[in-house]
Structures are given as structure tokens and as C-alpha cells.
Amino acid sequence: MRRRLNEFPGMMLNGRESMDNEQLWVELVGGIIIARIRGVPNESLLRECQRRVLQLVTDTGTPRALYDALELELPTVDPALVQQRLESEKDPSLQLRRAIVVPHSRGAFLARLAFGEGDYRVFYNDISAAIRWLEA
């Protein structure tokens, strides 16, 4: 059973931004940046997600992020290629450890394609394991 992050006791919501269409949420919960994307992402949505995550990393010094992609729809490989390009544009000195939670193997494959060689791990439907890995 999947639990939303706000159901975990002791995790305080420090800030939340959402887009008008409610496809994107980026928030600081405890010591982890949470990025949730739902639906079919386009380039501007992925770029905005990257901007918000990196801004929180810079502002808070928090080097850990969880990407909740459980409600993400990926009909094509295009979003992975966009994220791959965004990763190549990221400041290489910026340290960021990421956990990506996906619902199935196709999502896992595309996440690995998107994030390449970075410090990340993909989890299947297991937000709790992703949080434990980030906190280790």
C-alpha cells in the first residue's frame, strides 16, 4: 500500500509550491526535498521542477531529494530525454542524492535514462524505502 509523505509522523511541511494545474509539487519535508509530478510532463514542467529542486538545495543546503513519480504518465521517451538534458546543464559541483519512486519497470528504465550517472537510486512503489535510503 502506498502512503503519502504527509502521513509519516514527525515529518513537518516547511514549504509547498504547486502549479495551477496541480501537476507539480516541490516541498521541503523534514530534511528531504520532495518533488511530486503527476500526469504527462512537458519540458516546461520538468524545467520548473528542476529549478525548484535546485533552488531548495541552494537555499537550504539540503542535499537529498525524493522524486515521487508514482502518478507520472510517460507515453513517450521524450520526458526522459528532457531530464537528461537538464542534468547535463546542472552545476557539477552541486551535490545531490536522489531517490526516484516509480510504479513499474518502464518508469524505472526511463528514470535511469533521465538521471544517467548521478547519485540516485530507483525504488518500485516504496516511498518508505526511498526515505530510509536518503537518510542513511
Side-chain angles (χ1 to χ4, degrees), residues 37-56:
I37 302 176
R38 50 190 324 191
V40 178
N42 58 35
E43 183 170 352
S44 65
L45 182 74
L46 294 172
R47 190 169 291 283
E48 179 64 12
C49 180
Q50 181 88 335
R51 184 194 69 76
R52 290 182 189 183
V53 168
L54 296 180
Q55 188 66 53
L56 277 172

Side-chain angles (χ1 to χ4, degrees), residues 35 65-70 72 83 97-103 107-108 110-112 114-116 119-127 130 133-134:
L66 185 146
Y67 288 78
D68 177 351
L70 292 172
L72 189 64
Q83 185 64 42
R97 185 175 200 197
R98 293 177 277 198
I100 304 147
V101 183
V102 298
L110 292 173
R112 288 183 183 98
F115 289 94
D119 184 9
Y120 71 91
R121 185 170 167 196
V122 176
F123 295 84
Y124 291 88
N125 293 308
D126 198 344
I127 289 176
W133 180 77
L134 285 169

